[in-house]
Amino acid sequence: MDTNTLRIEKEISRGCPKGSFSGPGMWNLQYNTLLKLKYMDKTKVVVFADDLIIATRGGSLKPVENYVNVELCNINEWMKNNKARFNDKKFKVMLVSRRKRKQNKNITVYLNNKKLTQVTQIKYLGIIMATNLDFMKTYHKQQRGAKN
């Protein structure tokens, strides 16, 4: 742990159980170093509790794909250095665009040498985000699905 005037190191041999009182505090201490990584100007990292979003922008698909893969390589290195493990199955990739023209909308992104699943909508903190940024259609689809 680093503060302005003090650095304390302690070997940790196991994580905190889900729902523990100390878990969120320990997670914040560790996550802080992830947030301080040097990211590209085109990347924004947003964290709330133990949920992380990496948003990268670019003019076309290939550069965005490259930017995201570079950022995830850095995060993977951080994971190794901090002995952190994330649940790969929870990582999802979503391409967000308002472009109407026909183009390949598949994006290939890897974390820890595993290809991440691409989805057309993601639920983050209770908000459903869709690839076309049309929140109302997505909301109504969810409501109809909940009634069935």
Side-chain angles (χ1 to χ4, degrees), residues 86-120:
F86 295 127
N87 184 347
D88 316 34
K89 292 177 180 98
K90 288 188 175 184
F91 274 81
K92 304 289 183 232
V93 176
M94 184 173 77
L95 180 65
V96 177
S97 176
R98 290 183 183 252
R99 291 190 178 177
K100 301 286 186 211
R101 73 177 124 125
K102 300 279 184 199
Q103 78 178 72
N104 179 13
K105 297 205 174 164
N106 295 323
I107 187 165
T108 306
V109 177
Y110 297 91
L111 178 66
N112 201 18
N113 296 320
K114 293 180 185 170
K115 184 178 176 188
L116 299 180
T117 304
Q118 184 172 352
V119 296
T120 57

mmCIF file of all heavy atoms in Angstrom, residues 86-120:
data_model
loop_
_atom_site.group_PDB
_atom_site.id
_atom_site.type_symbol
_atom_site.label_atom_id
_atom_site.label_comp_id
_atom_site.label_asym_id
_atom_site.label_seq_id
_atom_site.Cartn_x
_atom_site.Cartn_y
_atom_site.Cartn_z
ATOM 1 N N PHE A 86 -9.113 -12.738 -12.424
ATOM 2 C CA PHE A 86 -10.459 -12.329 -12.756
ATOM 3 C C PHE A 86 -11.173 -13.521 -13.366
ATOM 4 O O PHE A 86 -10.555 -14.389 -13.973
ATOM 5 C CB PHE A 86 -10.468 -11.175 -13.769
ATOM 6 C CG PHE A 86 -9.878 -9.899 -13.242
ATOM 7 C CD1 PHE A 86 -8.876 -9.241 -13.933
ATOM 8 C CD2 PHE A 86 -10.332 -9.355 -12.059
ATOM 9 C CE1 PHE A 86 -8.349 -8.057 -13.451
ATOM 10 C CE2 PHE A 86 -9.802 -8.171 -11.574
ATOM 11 C CZ PHE A 86 -8.811 -7.527 -12.279
ATOM 12 N N ASN A 87 -12.471 -13.543 -13.234
ATOM 13 C CA ASN A 87 -13.269 -14.602 -13.828
ATOM 14 C C ASN A 87 -13.416 -14.311 -15.322
ATOM 15 O O ASN A 87 -14.192 -13.445 -15.723
ATOM 16 C CB ASN A 87 -14.638 -14.669 -13.146
ATOM 17 C CG ASN A 87 -15.471 -15.813 -13.642
ATOM 18 O OD1 ASN A 87 -15.174 -16.439 -14.646
ATOM 19 N ND2 ASN A 87 -16.548 -16.083 -12.920
ATOM 20 N N ASP A 88 -12.671 -15.047 -16.152
ATOM 21 C CA ASP A 88 -12.668 -14.812 -17.602
ATOM 22 C C ASP A 88 -14.066 -14.891 -18.199
ATOM 23 O O ASP A 88 -14.370 -14.211 -19.161
ATOM 24 C CB ASP A 88 -11.831 -15.862 -18.355
ATOM 25 C CG ASP A 88 -10.519 -16.183 -17.730
ATOM 26 O OD1 ASP A 88 -10.412 -16.172 -16.508
ATOM 27 O OD2 ASP A 88 -9.587 -16.458 -18.487
ATOM 28 N N LYS A 89 -14.923 -15.732 -17.621
ATOM 29 C CA LYS A 89 -16.268 -15.918 -18.172
ATOM 30 C C LYS A 89 -17.125 -14.672 -18.020
ATOM 31 O O LYS A 89 -18.114 -14.505 -18.728
ATOM 32 C CB LYS A 89 -16.930 -17.116 -17.510
ATOM 33 C CG LYS A 89 -16.262 -18.421 -17.879
ATOM 34 C CD LYS A 89 -16.885 -19.597 -17.153
ATOM 35 C CE LYS A 89 -16.198 -20.880 -17.557
ATOM 36 N NZ LYS A 89 -15.187 -21.325 -16.636
ATOM 37 N N LYS A 90 -16.766 -13.793 -17.093
ATOM 38 C CA LYS A 90 -17.546 -12.575 -16.896
ATOM 39 C C LYS A 90 -17.095 -11.444 -17.816
ATOM 40 O O LYS A 90 -17.797 -10.450 -17.959
ATOM 41 C CB LYS A 90 -17.451 -12.119 -15.437
ATOM 42 C CG LYS A 90 -18.216 -13.009 -14.497
ATOM 43 C CD LYS A 90 -18.245 -12.412 -13.120
ATOM 44 C CE LYS A 90 -19.110 -13.223 -12.175
ATOM 45 N NZ LYS A 90 -19.215 -12.577 -10.870
ATOM 46 N N PHE A 91 -15.935 -11.569 -18.431
ATOM 47 C CA PHE A 91 -15.449 -10.535 -19.343
ATOM 48 C C PHE A 91 -16.193 -10.632 -20.655
ATOM 49 O O PHE A 91 -16.288 -11.698 -21.254
ATOM 50 C CB PHE A 91 -13.944 -10.708 -19.612
ATOM 51 C CG PHE A 91 -13.084 -10.055 -18.589
ATOM 52 C CD1 PHE A 91 -12.829 -10.678 -17.386
ATOM 53 C CD2 PHE A 91 -12.523 -8.818 -18.836
ATOM 54 C CE1 PHE A 91 -12.030 -10.082 -16.439
ATOM 55 C CE2 PHE A 91 -11.726 -8.215 -17.883
ATOM 56 C CZ PHE A 91 -11.476 -8.843 -16.683
ATOM 57 N N LYS A 92 -16.729 -9.515 -21.096
ATOM 58 C CA LYS A 92 -17.457 -9.455 -22.365
ATOM 59 C C LYS A 92 -16.941 -8.274 -23.168
ATOM 60 O O LYS A 92 -16.429 -7.308 -22.625
ATOM 61 C CB LYS A 92 -18.966 -9.259 -22.134
ATOM 62 C CG LYS A 92 -19.607 -10.316 -21.257
ATOM 63 C CD LYS A 92 -19.710 -11.637 -21.939
ATOM 64 C CE LYS A 92 -20.423 -12.638 -21.075
ATOM 65 N NZ LYS A 92 -19.753 -13.863 -20.886
ATOM 66 N N VAL A 93 -17.113 -8.354 -24.475
ATOM 67 C CA VAL A 93 -16.712 -7.292 -25.392
ATOM 68 C C VAL A 93 -17.956 -6.833 -26.125
ATOM 69 O O VAL A 93 -18.750 -7.658 -26.586
ATOM 70 C CB VAL A 93 -15.679 -7.803 -26.416
ATOM 71 C CG1 VAL A 93 -15.345 -6.732 -27.423
ATOM 72 C CG2 VAL A 93 -14.437 -8.291 -25.716
ATOM 73 N N MET A 94 -18.114 -5.515 -26.234
ATOM 74 C CA MET A 94 -19.249 -4.988 -26.984
ATOM 75 C C MET A 94 -18.770 -3.813 -27.820
ATOM 76 O O MET A 94 -18.107 -2.906 -27.312
ATOM 77 C CB MET A 94 -20.359 -4.524 -26.037
ATOM 78 C CG MET A 94 -21.596 -4.069 -26.784
ATOM 79 S SD MET A 94 -22.986 -3.694 -25.699
ATOM 80 C CE MET A 94 -22.497 -2.103 -25.060
ATOM 81 N N LEU A 95 -19.068 -3.850 -29.095
ATOM 82 C CA LEU A 95 -18.733 -2.763 -30.007
ATOM 83 C C LEU A 95 -19.914 -1.802 -30.026
ATOM 84 O O LEU A 95 -21.041 -2.206 -30.322
ATOM 85 C CB LEU A 95 -18.463 -3.315 -31.407
ATOM 86 C CG LEU A 95 -18.110 -2.301 -32.474
ATOM 87 C CD1 LEU A 95 -16.773 -1.630 -32.148
ATOM 88 C CD2 LEU A 95 -18.038 -2.981 -33.829
ATOM 89 N N VAL A 96 -19.671 -0.552 -29.696
ATOM 90 C CA VAL A 96 -20.731 0.458 -29.681
ATOM 91 C C VAL A 96 -20.484 1.411 -30.839
ATOM 92 O O VAL A 96 -19.407 1.978 -30.969
ATOM 93 C CB VAL A 96 -20.740 1.245 -28.350
ATOM 94 C CG1 VAL A 96 -21.794 2.339 -28.375
ATOM 95 C CG2 VAL A 96 -20.950 0.299 -27.183
ATOM 96 N N SER A 97 -21.496 1.562 -31.681
ATOM 97 C CA SER A 97 -21.351 2.444 -32.828
ATOM 98 C C SER A 97 -22.724 2.923 -33.284
ATOM 99 O O SER A 97 -23.700 2.184 -33.205
ATOM 100 C CB SER A 97 -20.663 1.691 -33.969
ATOM 101 O OG SER A 97 -20.597 2.496 -35.116
ATOM 102 N N ARG A 98 -22.766 4.147 -33.771
ATOM 103 C CA ARG A 98 -24.002 4.676 -34.353
ATOM 104 C C ARG A 98 -23.960 4.596 -35.883
ATOM 105 O O ARG A 98 -24.890 5.013 -36.540
ATOM 106 C CB ARG A 98 -24.218 6.124 -33.924
ATOM 107 C CG ARG A 98 -24.557 6.246 -32.460
ATOM 108 C CD ARG A 98 -24.840 7.704 -32.126
ATOM 109 N NE ARG A 98 -25.106 7.850 -30.728
ATOM 110 C CZ ARG A 98 -26.318 8.097 -30.227
ATOM 111 N NH1 ARG A 98 -27.341 8.231 -31.002
ATOM 112 N NH2 ARG A 98 -26.480 8.217 -28.936
ATOM 113 N N ARG A 99 -22.863 4.078 -36.417
ATOM 114 C CA ARG A 99 -22.727 3.978 -37.868
ATOM 115 C C ARG A 99 -23.746 3.004 -38.434
ATOM 116 O O ARG A 99 -23.923 1.917 -37.911
ATOM 117 C CB ARG A 99 -21.325 3.529 -38.246
ATOM 118 C CG ARG A 99 -20.319 4.585 -37.942
ATOM 119 C CD ARG A 99 -19.002 4.222 -38.531
ATOM 120 N NE ARG A 99 -18.075 5.315 -38.237
ATOM 121 C CZ ARG A 99 -16.832 5.309 -38.560
ATOM 122 N NH1 ARG A 99 -16.326 4.267 -39.185
ATOM 123 N NH2 ARG A 99 -16.064 6.324 -38.272
ATOM 124 N N LYS A 100 -24.382 3.413 -39.514
ATOM 125 C CA LYS A 100 -25.424 2.589 -40.137
ATOM 126 C C LYS A 100 -24.861 1.735 -41.272
ATOM 127 O O LYS A 100 -25.459 0.760 -41.656
ATOM 128 C CB LYS A 100 -26.537 3.478 -40.711
ATOM 129 C CG LYS A 100 -27.199 4.356 -39.677
ATOM 130 C CD LYS A 100 -28.093 3.548 -38.787
ATOM 131 C CE LYS A 100 -28.853 4.488 -37.859
ATOM 132 N NZ LYS A 100 -29.162 3.954 -36.603
ATOM 133 N N ARG A 101 -23.721 2.143 -41.840
ATOM 134 C CA ARG A 101 -23.220 1.421 -43.005
ATOM 135 C C ARG A 101 -22.846 -0.017 -42.661
ATOM 136 O O ARG A 101 -22.515 -0.323 -41.531
ATOM 137 C CB ARG A 101 -22.056 2.164 -43.639
ATOM 138 C CG ARG A 101 -20.783 2.104 -42.854
ATOM 139 C CD ARG A 101 -19.698 2.825 -43.636
ATOM 140 N NE ARG A 101 -19.139 3.857 -42.788
ATOM 141 C CZ ARG A 101 -17.855 3.948 -42.519
ATOM 142 N NH1 ARG A 101 -17.009 3.127 -43.067
ATOM 143 N NH2 ARG A 101 -17.409 4.880 -41.736
ATOM 144 N N LYS A 102 -22.925 -0.832 -43.693
ATOM 145 C CA LYS A 102 -22.605 -2.252 -43.522
ATOM 146 C C LYS A 102 -21.102 -2.411 -43.382
ATOM 147 O O LYS A 102 -20.346 -1.965 -44.225
ATOM 148 C CB LYS A 102 -23.086 -3.062 -44.725
ATOM 149 C CG LYS A 102 -24.567 -2.972 -44.959
ATOM 150 C CD LYS A 102 -25.282 -3.909 -44.036
ATOM 151 C CE LYS A 102 -26.765 -3.871 -44.354
ATOM 152 N NZ LYS A 102 -27.564 -4.356 -43.319
ATOM 153 N N GLN A 103 -20.689 -2.997 -42.325
ATOM 154 C CA GLN A 103 -19.281 -3.335 -42.146
ATOM 155 C C GLN A 103 -19.202 -4.482 -41.149
ATOM 156 O O GLN A 103 -20.157 -4.748 -40.422
ATOM 157 C CB GLN A 103 -18.456 -2.142 -41.669
ATOM 158 C CG GLN A 103 -18.605 -1.831 -40.177
ATOM 159 C CD GLN A 103 -17.739 -0.672 -39.729
ATOM 160 O OE1 GLN A 103 -18.030 0.453 -40.064
ATOM 161 N NE2 GLN A 103 -16.699 -0.951 -39.000
ATOM 162 N N ASN A 104 -18.101 -5.154 -41.158
ATOM 163 C CA ASN A 104 -17.886 -6.238 -40.206
ATOM 164 C C ASN A 104 -17.945 -5.662 -38.795
ATOM 165 O O ASN A 104 -17.230 -4.721 -38.473
ATOM 166 C CB ASN A 104 -16.516 -6.877 -40.470
ATOM 167 C CG ASN A 104 -16.227 -7.994 -39.499
ATOM 168 O OD1 ASN A 104 -17.109 -8.466 -38.774
ATOM 169 N ND2 ASN A 104 -14.992 -8.426 -39.484
ATOM 170 N N LYS A 105 -18.816 -6.201 -37.969
ATOM 171 C CA LYS A 105 -18.955 -5.686 -36.611
ATOM 172 C C LYS A 105 -18.415 -6.670 -35.589
ATOM 173 O O LYS A 105 -18.709 -6.570 -34.418
ATOM 174 C CB LYS A 105 -20.413 -5.358 -36.330
ATOM 175 C CG LYS A 105 -20.895 -4.260 -37.261
ATOM 176 C CD LYS A 105 -22.037 -3.497 -36.707
ATOM 177 C CE LYS A 105 -22.309 -2.359 -37.661
ATOM 178 N NZ LYS A 105 -23.498 -1.710 -37.559
ATOM 179 N N ASN A 106 -17.618 -7.633 -36.050
ATOM 180 C CA ASN A 106 -16.991 -8.572 -35.135
ATOM 181 C C ASN A 106 -15.644 -8.016 -34.691
ATOM 182 O O ASN A 106 -14.876 -7.520 -35.502
ATOM 183 C CB ASN A 106 -16.795 -9.934 -35.798
ATOM 184 C CG ASN A 106 -18.113 -10.584 -36.114
ATOM 185 O OD1 ASN A 106 -19.075 -10.465 -35.354
ATOM 186 N ND2 ASN A 106 -18.194 -11.257 -37.247
ATOM 187 N N ILE A 107 -15.403 -8.094 -33.408
ATOM 188 C CA ILE A 107 -14.153 -7.598 -32.848
ATOM 189 C C ILE A 107 -13.495 -8.747 -32.084
ATOM 190 O O ILE A 107 -14.167 -9.482 -31.370
ATOM 191 C CB ILE A 107 -14.403 -6.360 -31.960
ATOM 192 C CG1 ILE A 107 -13.097 -5.739 -31.515
ATOM 193 C CG2 ILE A 107 -15.317 -6.651 -30.810
ATOM 194 C CD1 ILE A 107 -13.256 -4.330 -30.957
ATOM 195 N N THR A 108 -12.210 -8.910 -32.290
ATOM 196 C CA THR A 108 -11.480 -10.003 -31.664
ATOM 197 C C THR A 108 -10.581 -9.432 -30.583
ATOM 198 O O THR A 108 -9.642 -8.685 -30.872
ATOM 199 C CB THR A 108 -10.642 -10.763 -32.713
ATOM 200 O OG1 THR A 108 -11.513 -11.168 -33.769
ATOM 201 C CG2 THR A 108 -9.993 -11.983 -32.100
ATOM 202 N N VAL A 109 -10.893 -9.773 -29.338
ATOM 203 C CA VAL A 109 -10.184 -9.232 -28.183
ATOM 204 C C VAL A 109 -9.802 -10.386 -27.263
ATOM 205 O O VAL A 109 -10.592 -11.311 -27.062
ATOM 206 C CB VAL A 109 -11.075 -8.200 -27.431
ATOM 207 C CG1 VAL A 109 -10.400 -7.691 -26.196
ATOM 208 C CG2 VAL A 109 -11.439 -7.060 -28.361
ATOM 209 N N TYR A 110 -8.611 -10.309 -26.711
ATOM 210 C CA TYR A 110 -8.088 -11.385 -25.870
ATOM 211 C C TYR A 110 -7.703 -10.875 -24.494
ATOM 212 O O TYR A 110 -7.198 -9.760 -24.355
ATOM 213 C CB TYR A 110 -6.837 -12.002 -26.507
ATOM 214 C CG TYR A 110 -7.104 -12.655 -27.827
ATOM 215 C CD1 TYR A 110 -6.987 -11.938 -29.013
ATOM 216 C CD2 TYR A 110 -7.479 -13.986 -27.895
ATOM 217 C CE1 TYR A 110 -7.237 -12.539 -30.234
ATOM 218 C CE2 TYR A 110 -7.735 -14.600 -29.113
ATOM 219 C CZ TYR A 110 -7.603 -13.865 -30.278
ATOM 220 O OH TYR A 110 -7.858 -14.457 -31.486
ATOM 221 N N LEU A 111 -7.915 -11.710 -23.497
ATOM 222 C CA LEU A 111 -7.391 -11.479 -22.148
ATOM 223 C C LEU A 111 -6.798 -12.793 -21.687
ATOM 224 O O LEU A 111 -7.481 -13.825 -21.721
ATOM 225 C CB LEU A 111 -8.491 -11.028 -21.178
ATOM 226 C CG LEU A 111 -8.028 -10.814 -19.742
ATOM 227 C CD1 LEU A 111 -7.045 -9.643 -19.663
ATOM 228 C CD2 LEU A 111 -9.191 -10.565 -18.807
ATOM 229 N N ASN A 112 -5.546 -12.745 -21.285
ATOM 230 C CA ASN A 112 -4.852 -13.941 -20.809
ATOM 231 C C ASN A 112 -4.878 -15.047 -21.873
ATOM 232 O O ASN A 112 -5.136 -16.203 -21.581
ATOM 233 C CB ASN A 112 -5.478 -14.419 -19.496
ATOM 234 C CG ASN A 112 -4.539 -15.286 -18.703
ATOM 235 O OD1 ASN A 112 -3.329 -15.276 -18.932
ATOM 236 N ND2 ASN A 112 -5.079 -16.034 -17.776
ATOM 237 N N ASN A 113 -4.651 -14.627 -23.130
ATOM 238 C CA ASN A 113 -4.616 -15.536 -24.284
ATOM 239 C C ASN A 113 -5.945 -16.253 -24.542
ATOM 240 O O ASN A 113 -5.972 -17.273 -25.221
ATOM 241 C CB ASN A 113 -3.493 -16.565 -24.153
ATOM 242 C CG ASN A 113 -2.141 -15.907 -24.148
ATOM 243 O OD1 ASN A 113 -1.910 -14.961 -24.904
ATOM 244 N ND2 ASN A 113 -1.256 -16.365 -23.300
ATOM 245 N N LYS A 114 -7.037 -15.734 -24.011
ATOM 246 C CA LYS A 114 -8.361 -16.306 -24.275
ATOM 247 C C LYS A 114 -9.211 -15.257 -24.983
ATOM 248 O O LYS A 114 -9.281 -14.107 -24.550
ATOM 249 C CB LYS A 114 -9.046 -16.710 -22.968
ATOM 250 C CG LYS A 114 -8.354 -17.856 -22.271
ATOM 251 C CD LYS A 114 -9.060 -18.213 -20.986
ATOM 252 C CE LYS A 114 -8.269 -19.265 -20.252
ATOM 253 N NZ LYS A 114 -8.759 -19.487 -18.912
ATOM 254 N N LYS A 115 -9.873 -15.698 -26.060
ATOM 255 C CA LYS A 115 -10.736 -14.789 -26.808
ATOM 256 C C LYS A 115 -11.968 -14.488 -25.971
ATOM 257 O O LYS A 115 -12.612 -15.400 -25.440
ATOM 258 C CB LYS A 115 -11.140 -15.420 -28.140
ATOM 259 C CG LYS A 115 -11.948 -14.494 -29.012
ATOM 260 C CD LYS A 115 -12.279 -15.144 -30.338
ATOM 261 C CE LYS A 115 -13.181 -14.216 -31.138
ATOM 262 N NZ LYS A 115 -13.685 -14.868 -32.333
ATOM 263 N N LEU A 116 -12.298 -13.214 -25.849
ATOM 264 C CA LEU A 116 -13.463 -12.807 -25.075
ATOM 265 C C LEU A 116 -14.721 -12.867 -25.940
ATOM 266 O O LEU A 116 -14.679 -12.633 -27.141
ATOM 267 C CB LEU A 116 -13.269 -11.394 -24.526
ATOM 268 C CG LEU A 116 -12.074 -11.208 -23.590
ATOM 269 C CD1 LEU A 116 -11.995 -9.771 -23.111
ATOM 270 C CD2 LEU A 116 -12.132 -12.159 -22.417
ATOM 271 N N THR A 117 -15.842 -13.164 -25.306
ATOM 272 C CA THR A 117 -17.129 -13.273 -25.984
ATOM 273 C C THR A 117 -17.651 -11.889 -26.344
ATOM 274 O O THR A 117 -17.690 -10.993 -25.499
ATOM 275 C CB THR A 117 -18.148 -13.978 -25.065
ATOM 276 O OG1 THR A 117 -17.612 -15.235 -24.683
ATOM 277 C CG2 THR A 117 -19.482 -14.164 -25.761
ATOM 278 N N GLN A 118 -18.084 -11.733 -27.598
ATOM 279 C CA GLN A 118 -18.681 -10.470 -28.031
ATOM 280 C C GLN A 118 -20.189 -10.554 -27.847
ATOM 281 O O GLN A 118 -20.813 -11.561 -28.196
ATOM 282 C CB GLN A 118 -18.341 -10.173 -29.488
ATOM 283 C CG GLN A 118 -18.871 -8.823 -29.950
ATOM 284 C CD GLN A 118 -18.376 -8.450 -31.330
ATOM 285 O OE1 GLN A 118 -17.529 -9.098 -31.908
ATOM 286 N NE2 GLN A 118 -18.937 -7.375 -31.867
ATOM 287 N N VAL A 119 -20.775 -9.496 -27.295
ATOM 288 C CA VAL A 119 -22.210 -9.444 -27.047
ATOM 289 C C VAL A 119 -22.797 -8.185 -27.677
ATOM 290 O O VAL A 119 -22.068 -7.277 -28.071
ATOM 291 C CB VAL A 119 -22.508 -9.470 -25.520
ATOM 292 C CG1 VAL A 119 -22.055 -10.775 -24.900
ATOM 293 C CG2 VAL A 119 -21.852 -8.293 -24.810
ATOM 294 N N THR A 120 -24.131 -8.134 -27.766
ATOM 295 C CA THR A 120 -24.787 -6.948 -28.330
ATOM 296 C C THR A 120 -25.374 -6.055 -27.252
ATOM 297 O O THR A 120 -25.847 -4.958 -27.545
ATOM 298 C CB THR A 120 -25.906 -7.355 -29.314
ATOM 299 O OG1 THR A 120 -26.833 -8.200 -28.616
ATOM 300 C CG2 THR A 120 -25.334 -8.085 -30.509
#
